Amino acid sequence: MRAFTYERAASPVQAAAAAAANPGAKFIAGGTNLLDLMKLEIETPSHLIDVNGLGLDTIETIPEGGLRIGALVRNTDLAADERVRRDYGVLSRAILAGASGQLRNRATTAGNLLQRTRCPYFYDTAQPCNKRQPGSGCSAIGGFSRQLGIVGTSEACIATNPSDMAVGLRVLDATIETVKPDATTRRIPIAEFHRLPGDTPHIETVLEPGEFITAVTLPSPVGGKHVYRKVRDRASYAFALVSVATVLQQDGTGRVAVGGIAHKPWRVEAAEAELPRGAKAAAERLLAGAKPTHDNAFKMPLVERALGSVLDETRS
């Protein structure tokens, strides 16, 4: 691990300003992803800004009827919150499907949104990776790609977003609240938060330099049956090959977001109109334009089967 300087932020604006003033800076809260990457020298921040003391660790009901989740709410606390379990069950289930109990006790809401891919070539510093070193090439293309993306990929990157929580937030139409170094704020719909790789896969979100996440808001509950189905190589502590988050109504309509297949949580609203017709029709719309590799072509039918099992469970 390389040497770095350290400070504790006194306010969200101060944290943002400190990050903007130090281009090599990183925010640190739980550190469950960042510290691993620093040990491998994939991330080499020159300055760490500790944001744990900012008081952004509460879940509040908002006047519009939804919830505001502080950026520093730990995953364990979010999944266990009575309001989340009752009204946003898909989110609670998605969080509990990720990582381990020990990691969920430390991992934060904002940190989960910002965690980086688990592509094996990103973690292997001996291999070219456009996400780790822009312009060096993508070793995954033509390499071992079983866990990697099939839709929304590019010639520069086929990595996937690893977050379970983000898939649950996407199906719920969450919004990310931020503050910039000049104290201005903005609200970013989660549909727009994560970027597709294009020619710049190292730029993973729409956050500007120094911009700091302060909260995630959920709209009013939508009702229906909430299901999160995660298919993985082992029953726990494994990233999704495919995951399906659904909110389904009694009349067969609903919402669906998919994880494990793209650079961001994958939701195609046009596919949701096909849900009453069944998993095959919805999956065809979800995966339109997909470009699987020889190693991960199995994800195409797996999306349909995972969604089909959820639809069957909901209708029974």
Side-chain angles (χ1 to χ4, degrees):
M1 186 181 291
R2 299 186 187 183
F4 55 86
T5 53
Y6 170 88
E7 70 174 289
R8 292 180 179 175
S11 71
V13 173
Q14 185 191 80
N22 296 274
K26 289 284 184 180
F27 302 119
I28 187 166
T32 56
N33 186 208
L34 178 60
L35 291 177
D36 285 343
L37 295 174
M38 289 174 65
K39 292 173 185 177
L40 295 170
E41 296 192 0
I42 294 170
E43 293 278 13
T44 56
S46 58
H47 187 65
L48 288 184
I49 304 165
D50 189 332
V51 297
N52 281 295
L54 300 184
L56 303 174
D57 58 354
T58 60
I59 304 171
E60 303 171 336
T61 302
I62 57 178
E64 296 84 356
L67 294 178
R68 176 174 286 110
I69 303 159
L72 299 176
V73 172
R74 307 294 167 170
N75 284 181
T76 294
D77 296 331
L78 180 56
D81 186 89
E82 181 181 354
R83 295 161 293 181
V84 175
R85 294 175 61 192
R86 180 186 66 233
D87 297 328
Y88 307 97
V90 66
L91 177 58
S92 180
R93 295 181 179 102
I95 292 170
L96 293 173
S100 65
Q102 294 92 331
L103 288 173
R104 292 194 297 269
N105 287 343
R106 292 295 303 162
T108 63
T109 299
N112 194 305
L113 285 171
L114 295 173
Q115 65 178 304
R116 307 203 67 187
T117 186
R118 268 46 175 204
C119 173
Y121 297 101
F122 174 72
Y123 272 78
D124 185 350
T125 56
Q127 300 288 336
C129 172
N130 288 320
K131 188 177 285 293
R132 180 171 21 84
Q133 186 177 358
S136 63
C138 177
S139 298
I141 297 177
F144 181 70
S145 55
R146 181 173 181 271
Q147 292 181 301
L148 303 180
I150 60 173
V151 66
T153 57
S154 74
E155 294 299 316
C157 183
I158 60 172
T160 53
N161 184 293
S163 174
D164 291 289
M165 184 191 80
V167 183
L169 291 174
R170 179 66 182 92
V171 84
L172 293 170
D173 285 327
T175 300
I176 292 94
E177 298 182 357
T178 70
V179 64
K180 298 181 182 181
D182 63 0
T184 60
T185 61
R186 68 168 170 159
R187 292 168 53 85
I188 307 168
I190 193 168
E192 302 170 10
F193 182 74
H194 295 102
R195 291 165 47 108
L196 292 178
D199 296 327
T200 55
H202 61 291
I203 304 175
E204 297 172 340
T205 73
V206 298
L207 293 176
E208 298 173 6
E211 192 169 8
F212 178 68
I213 297 173
T214 55
V216 173
T217 58
L218 298 175
S220 297
V222 295
K225 185 166 184 177
H226 292 215
V227 178
Y228 188 75
R229 181 67 44 80
K230 182 175 182 178
V231 183
R232 46 188 163 174
D233 284 326
R234 58 178 184 265
S236 66
Y237 200 54
F239 294 98
L241 294 169
V242 163
S243 64
V244 175
T246 59
V247 177
L248 299 169
Q249 307 300 328
Q250 289 186 341
D251 62 1
T253 61
R255 306 177 183 181
V256 58
V258 182
I261 64 170
H263 208 250
K264 61 189 292 184
W266 195 253
R267 184 178 173 194
V268 178
E269 279 81 352
E272 295 171 353
E274 304 292 338
L275 285 172
R277 295 180 55 204
K280 181 176 177 61
E284 286 177 353
R285 296 296 292 272
L286 273 168
L287 301 176
K291 297 179 180 179
T293 68
H294 173 76
D295 290 336
N296 65 22
F298 71 92
K299 290 191 178 187
M300 300 283 287
L302 188 57
V303 169
E304 179 185 336
R305 291 169 186 169
L307 179 57
S309 71
V310 172
L311 294 178
D312 289 343
E313 175 186 323
T314 303
R315 292 165 179 164
S316 61

